[in-house]
Amino acid sequence: MLVITVFLACAGIALADVRSLSLNIKAEDITTGTPLDGFVSYSIEFSSFPDFAGSSAAPNEFSNTLINNIGYYQGSNPYIRVGGNTQDFAIYDENETLPLRGIYNTTRSADYPTTITIGPSFFDAYNAWPKVKLSHGFNLGGNNDSRVHATLNQTVPLACKALSNGNFYRFEYGNEPDLFVGIPTAQVRPASYNESDYVSEWLQGTRIINELVEQNCPDLLDNDTYGFLAPSFARTDNHLKAPLAWSDGLDADADITYFSSHNYISGANSLGVTLQGTLMNHTRTKQSVDAHVAEYNAINPGSNVPHIFGETNSLYQQGRPGLSNTFGAALWATDFLLYSASVNIQRVHLHMGTNYRYQAWQPLTTNITSIGTKAPYYGNVAAAAFLGNLNVATVQIAELETGDAGDDAEAAYLAYVDGVLRRVMFINLREYNYTLNGTGDLASPNPEPRTVRTYSLSVGNLTAGAGVQRLSANGSDAITGVTFDGWSYNYELERGAPVRLANVTVGERLNVTEDGVLSVGVADSEAVIVTLDS
């Protein structure tokens, strides 16, 4: 039995609340999820992809470095899904000299162009990064443009050839078709549009894609990884329902190889959204993810089609500054990723685009945002490090209830490697603002002390000791100064390559007491990985 006792302490003084929990340490006796390779992956907005990738002749090395950093921890690089709202705006023009030309209509969105032309060089970007597999999103929505069908016929050969160099992940046909009706400024289908209509369109289009791939890239079809991400619905409760689409024959051709759903905890402009109440809230995260698990179970009982989040991040509408770009969002990302893994959502694509507030990194400098690594990226790194190399052993992730079912501000996870408990992660989601009232004014630091919560693990003779890695910053409101295990991935240091900071304590060790107990302190707004000695 592994017994965990939790003590609260502030400045080394124990507080009154003491809680404990016992659980069996055998993986087969608890509910676990088994993440796929490249579990921590990314989704890049279609219109932003040339910014993030560059070209085969001039790749964006900063992006490539950050992708490789994640791959170092989890054993393989993130998979990149190229899509989002703007994939359904893209019209092909063989005479277009730019990879992508976009026109903004701020009544629809100030964050991305809503009239888009792509040229032949757009597809060259798929070969910018070595050892990265990518999916291409084809235009189903159409944006009320009659050229959409010609675009599909013209771009399938280009996409399949660009992705025939060992870099093919999957195809996707349409983004969030459950939103084709209901948004007045973006409605592209009549109000009567239903699941059967969508399925008919999707099957017609994907059969055209398959025929064109057979004509132009037959070797791609011979690959047992060929197929589609679908249905890519935005929510579980929108105009179209995934269970009905599935029962209407969406997978009639058995070529959906990942059941892909999209998830956002809330919206950037939704009322009542706060860092503590929305993002740094384990209960909200569980409720949001569990709705997708229930949907998947209703669709695919006993199916071997893996469930993934094909697009997700903190707050839809590209995030909110002061929330989505903070260290608190990094802690949210760690919790979200690991909870998803624990309920067997087997891969997660975190969405981002140029100038987006929730992005993991900004790929280049614009008149809005400077190039750089953003705070949420560090949460991605921490989750990948906790998972470990997914290619050399079977890794299972389990949520660990820490004792108080009503506590929204705490999460913990267990990582089993080939059935043996190897790592425990504690995420203290209690908000601690480095600046007074979280204003971000560095001239007004928070005078309140930062509480430390001590977790004591009764491990018996399971291990002789343990190592510690910390995901840390000055507070939940910090947008800079974030580290994982003392590593900084800042662009300003080595352009995203890891740099060990001398002012951060690393190499921390935990010793087992004579009573078989390990203890580790976790500050408010901090996460810690405890790796048991083998």
Side-chain angles (χ1 to χ4, degrees):
M1 301 289 285
L2 175 65
V3 181
I4 295 182
T5 304
V6 184
F7 299 92
L8 283 175
C10 182
I13 302 172
L15 302 182
D17 184 20
V18 177
R19 296 181 280 113
S20 63
L21 174 72
S22 299
L23 70 156
N24 196 302
I25 63 170
K26 293 182 179 179
E28 61 266 27
D29 293 335
I30 59 176
T31 300
T32 63
T34 305
L36 294 171
D37 68 302
F39 174 82
V40 179
S41 284
Y42 292 105
S43 167
I44 296 177
E45 187 65 52
F46 191 95
S47 61
S48 299
F49 181 55
D51 291 344
F52 276 83
S55 66
S56 60
N60 188 314
E61 295 292 357
F62 175 48
S63 291
N64 190 42
T65 296
L66 295 182
I67 289 170
N68 288 333
N69 293 339
I70 300 290
Y72 169 81
Y73 283 108
Q74 65 182 10
S76 57
N77 281 337
Y79 290 84
I80 306 297
R81 174 246 185 185
V82 179
N85 288 346
T86 55
Q87 80 181 67
D88 280 331
F89 305 153
I91 296 297
Y92 181 71
D93 181 352
E94 64 181 0
N95 297 313
E96 175 58 65
T97 57
L98 295 176
L100 183 145
R101 188 183 301 272
I103 299 173
Y104 284 76
N105 178 351
T106 56
T107 63
R108 294 182 64 180
S109 176
D111 292 317
Y112 49 72
T114 53
T115 300
I116 292 174
T117 302
I118 58 172
S121 60
F122 178 89
F123 299 90
D124 178 66
Y126 283 117
N127 288 284
W129 299 322
K131 299 180 181 179
V132 175
K133 294 186 177 183
L134 309 98
S135 72
H136 175 79
F138 293 105
N139 182 347
L140 169 62
N143 206 23
N144 296 312
D145 192 314
S146 61
R147 295 172 293 173
V148 63
H149 299 296
T151 288
L152 184 65
N153 284 281
Q154 292 169 309
T155 57
V156 171
L158 296 171
C160 75
K161 289 174 183 176
L163 293 170
S164 290
N165 303 305
N167 57 341
F168 177 73
Y169 175 28
R170 295 296 187 275
F171 286 137
E172 185 178 38
Y173 186 43
N175 175 74
E176 299 181 351
D178 53 327
L179 296 179
F180 285 178
V181 175
I183 301 176
T185 58
Q187 184 155 323
V188 293
R189 296 294 186 275
S192 60
Y193 189 70
N194 60 26
E195 288 83 2
S196 294
D197 297 327
Y198 161 65
V199 168
S200 177
E201 280 195 293
W202 193 87
L203 289 174
Q204 181 181 13
T206 55
R207 286 166 181 168
I208 291 171
I209 293 169
N210 292 340
E211 289 174 7
L212 290 169
V213 170
E214 186 172 16
Q215 294 169 18
N216 293 275
C217 312
D219 290 346
L220 212 58
L221 286 176
D222 293 337
N223 191 326
D224 60 7
T225 63
Y226 181 81
F228 292 87
L229 313 175
S232 306
F233 284 4
R235 294 171 59 100
T236 61
D237 57 356
N238 271 342
H239 179 73
L240 301 183
K241 304 296 188 294
L244 287 176
W246 203 267
S247 65
D248 281 344
L250 184 65
D251 196 30
D253 296 338
D255 54 5
I256 296 175
T257 51
Y258 290 103
F259 179 83
S260 175
S261 53
H262 295 183
N263 176 280
Y264 291 88
I265 297 295
S266 189
N269 298 313
S270 299
L271 294 176
V273 171
T274 65
L275 197 56
Q276 183 70 83
T278 308
L279 298 185
M280 296 175 66
N281 185 315
H282 183 58
T283 301
R284 285 288 298 271
T285 293
K286 290 180 65 172
Q287 290 171 344
S288 183
V289 172
D290 287 348
H292 290 273
V293 174
E295 176 188 69
Y296 174 76
N297 289 339
I299 291 168
N300 247 9
S303 171
N304 60 357
V305 178
H307 186 190
I308 68 169
F309 280 138
E311 178 184 319
T312 187
N313 214 304
S314 57
L315 303 173
Y316 61 81
Q317 295 170 323
Q318 294 68 250
R320 183 193 291 185
L323 297 179
S324 300
N325 62 338
T326 66
F327 181 61
L331 294 170
W332 165 82
T334 306
D335 185 28
F336 180 87
L337 286 162
L338 296 183
Y339 184 72
S340 296
S342 77
V343 294
N344 215 36
I345 292 174
Q346 295 186 278
R347 187 175 292 139
V348 176
H349 293 264
L350 294 153
H351 193 57
M352 56 183 169
T354 306
N355 300 327
Y356 285 12
R357 275 73 65 191
Y358 54 44
Q359 62 189 177
W361 69 89
Q362 169 76 359
L364 43 70
T365 295
T366 68
N367 62 346
I368 297 173
T369 308
S370 297
I371 188 173
T373 311
K374 307 304 180 181
Y377 177 77
Y378 290 83
N380 307 166
V381 170
F386 181 70
L387 295 171
N389 192 326
L390 299 171
N391 296 319
V392 299
T394 299
V395 176
Q396 296 165 275
I397 303 299
E399 183 195 13
L400 169 62
E401 295 286 353
T402 54
D404 187 348
D407 194 342
D408 298 331
E410 189 171 77
Y413 297 94
L414 307 174
Y416 296 86
V417 179
D418 287 338
V420 178
L421 180 64
R422 288 299 181 206
R423 292 178 287 278
V424 183
M425 174 172 266
F426 299 105
I427 308 173
N428 186 343
L429 294 164
R430 289 165 183 80
E431 186 176 21
Y432 176 80
N433 289 321
Y434 174 58
T435 58
L436 186 63
N437 299 320
T439 60
D441 181 3
L442 298 180
S444 301
N446 187 355
E448 295 296 324
R450 193 170 185 175
T451 300
V452 175
R453 179 174 294 257
T454 299
Y455 295 83
S456 293
L457 295 77
S458 181
V459 296
N461 60 1
L462 180 65
T463 183
V468 175
Q469 296 169 295
R470 295 182 182 273
L471 174 62
S472 300
N474 284 332
S476 54
D477 57 339
I479 60 174
T480 60
V482 184
T483 61
F484 173 70
D485 194 30
W487 295 106
S488 172
Y489 300 95
N490 279 2
Y491 177 82
E492 295 80 3
L493 296 178
E494 289 292 341
R495 301 194 174 196
V499 175
R500 210 62 174 278
L501 300 186
N503 62 344
V504 180
T505 300
V506 296
E508 186 179 350
R509 294 285 304 166
L510 304 179
N511 296 316
V512 180
T513 68
E514 292 182 357
D515 297 327
V517 175
L518 286 170
S519 295
V520 62
V522 186
D524 286 353
S525 299
E526 185 181 47
V528 170
I529 298 174
V530 176
T531 300
L532 307 180
D533 293 346
S534 56

